[in-house]
């Protein structure tokens, strides 16, 4: 079907039950439905929103257009969980039904204050002439899950010096005040994060731009800002649009990364930081959001997808999913991302294989379609090592480490279906280690690979043939390996 403007702005309530049920059935029949990732029942999912812990449960919302795999008028869809593994479907949380969010309930965050979960988001609106006016909005959820929107928005339009790309409020408490970070594009088309201050969550005062160092290739718009401090360091996360590829880096259509440095001085906005680092080295990762949970952990969930590109499952009436939750830990000036231990609850049958390899290949056939896998490779001298997954039917997905080149590489050239070949089918990053420890989660149509305790992560969708289930290890130098696989 053709996605006219009219079709993109059609509300769920405007289609008949029959038509919607047909879409539900079409999506349910998709061969690429995930087993243990949050995915939309129909239509398109994008950013995680409102990630929080309230009344004994984790709450996670996501951007949703119900009626097809396109960026139409957005809703917030609500999931909740006690353990971050078993998610309960809580249905639609926020609908685009107010004057200040008529063209989409866009991204934002959640903050628990006293007995309520406060939700902050951008209301996207368009005038009759299709001029965009962004509003920063507020809604409150109570213990029984009722959500009430405020009568009027908190912040109307963007301040002087900024375009209409002004959105995604991240609200948090900081030294006795509330701060809201907002992603912005200046009139000179530079991406920035700005911030507002409040003492009551209702009246917000513009403070200025976060004073990041200016550097080339920074992009024109920084979406979905987030910030946290850990062990005396500050981390500013955002998703810049408009960066150019540089060697192995920034190969996706849009990026997502962070600046690590001293804590931001919110009196002046000053931020001393190092170079912009990509969070994820894979093909499909964007707009992550973090929260601090009751255990004190900094958790992150991202969108396992990207704006501006198609998805293989578009033909099946749905697109995209969320990543598994990761814990963020700063060690030795590096941001590690580690899968949370709760994910062990997914584990079913366990298989273990171990041995030595030298100038050879070993095959494991048809153990499982979806799994968690841990592989430890040690060597006197690690030369070139490859783990091949989803092998069969002429397909294979290869993750390798080349010690000589000091590179990790994910090769999806033979991985099955793709609709984004123009962005290349390999991703690499610099890496040097004397051993290799891969920890990965393979769902029906996604792969998340954590390397050496989360030093690097590669996250990608994968649309492989049903019969491509072989696993293979290949080594040049002499290595010992231990492979643990849990069916999921
Ligand atoms: C990021 C983003 C946000 C916006 C939302 C709309 O993917 O563009 O900036 O709030 O998606 O769905």
């Amino acid at each position: 079907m053709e996605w006219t403007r009219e079709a993109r702005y059609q509300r769920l309530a405007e289609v008949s039950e029959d038509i919607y049920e047909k879409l539900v059935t079409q999506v349910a029949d998709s061969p690429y439905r995930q087993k243990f990732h949050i995915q939309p029942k129909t239509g398109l999912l994008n950013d995680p929103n409102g990630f929080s812990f309230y009344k004994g449960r984790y709450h996670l919302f996501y951007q949703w257009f119900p009626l097809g795999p396109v960026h139409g008028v957005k809703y917030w869809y609500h999931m909740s969980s006690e353990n971050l593994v078993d998610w309960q479907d809580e249905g639609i949380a926020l609908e685009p039904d107010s004057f200040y969010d008529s063209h989409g309930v866009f991204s934002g965050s959640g903050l628990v204050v006293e007995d309520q979960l406060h939700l902050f988001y951008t209301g996207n609106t368009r005038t009759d002439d299709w001029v965009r006016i962004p509003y920063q909005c507020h809604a409150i959820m109570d213990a029984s899950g009722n959500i009430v929107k405020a009568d009027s928005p908190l912040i109307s339009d963007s301040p002087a010096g900024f375009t209409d790309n002004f959105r995604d409020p991240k609200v948090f408490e900081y030294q006795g005040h509330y701060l809201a970070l907002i992603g912005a594009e200046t009139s000179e088309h530079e991406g920035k994060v700005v911030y507002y201050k409040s003492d009551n969550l209702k009246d917000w005062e513009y403070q200025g731009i976060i004073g990041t160092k200016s550097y080339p290739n920074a992009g024109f718009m920084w979406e979905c800002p987030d910030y946290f401090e850990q062990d005396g360091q500050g981390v500013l996360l955002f998703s810049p649009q408009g960066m150019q590829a540089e060697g192995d880096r920034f190969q996706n259509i849009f990026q997502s990364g962070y600046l690590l440095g001293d804590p931001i001085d919110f009196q002046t906005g000053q931020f001393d930081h190092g170079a912009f680092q990509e969070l994820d080295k894979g093909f499909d990762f964007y707009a992550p959001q973090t929260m601090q949970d009751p255990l004190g952990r900094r958790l992150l969930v991202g969108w396992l997808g990207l704006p501006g590109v198609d998805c293989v499952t578009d033909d099946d009436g749905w697109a995209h999913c969320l990543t598994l939750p990761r814990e963020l830990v700063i060690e030795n000036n590096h941001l590690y991302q580690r899968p949370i231990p709760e994910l062990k609850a997914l584990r079913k049958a366990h298989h273990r294989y171990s041995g030595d390899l030298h100038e050879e290949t070993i095959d494991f056939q048809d153990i499982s379609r979806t799994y968690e896998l841990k592989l430890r490779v040690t060597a006197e001298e690690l030369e070139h090592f490859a783990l091949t997954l989803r092998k069969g039917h002429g397909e294979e997905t290869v993750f390798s480490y080349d010690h000589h080149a000091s590179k990790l590489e994910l090769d999806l050239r033979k991985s099955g279906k793709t609709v984004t070949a123009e962005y290349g089918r390999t991703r690499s990053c610099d890496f040097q280690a004397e051993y290799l420890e891969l920890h990965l989660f393979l769902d029906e149509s996604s792969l998340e690979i954590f390397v050496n305790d989360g030093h690097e992560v590669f996250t990608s969708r994968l649309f492989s043939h049903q019969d491509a289930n072989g696993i293979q290890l290949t080594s040049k130098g002499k290595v010992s390996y231990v492979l643990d696989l849990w069916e999921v």
Side-chain angles (χ1 to χ4, degrees), residues 44 46-47 49 63-64 71-72 74 105-108 122 124 132 167-169 221-224 239 241 286-287 303 306-307:
L44 182 142
N46 56 303
D47 315 352
N49 294 152
Q63 286 285 286
W64 188 46
H71 289 273
K74 296 287 169 66
V105 179
F106 275 15
S107 284
T122 299
N124 185 50
R132 167 186 272 157
R167 55 180 174 262
D168 312 333
M221 167 63 187
W222 290 1
E223 297 190 306
C224 301
S239 294
Q241 301 201 313
Y286 198 72
W303 171 20
L306 283 169

Side-chain angles (χ1 to χ4, degrees), residues 47 75 78 159 165 198 248 259 264 279 304 347 372 381 384 393 425 440 451 468:
D47 315 352
Y75 294 62
H78 183 192
N165 279 323
S198 172
D248 292 340
L259 302 170
I264 294 176
L279 269 162
L304 219 165
R347 291 176 178 176
E372 174 187 351
E381 238 170 277
H384 187 275
H393 218 84
R425 298 297 286 152
L440 66 88
V451 185

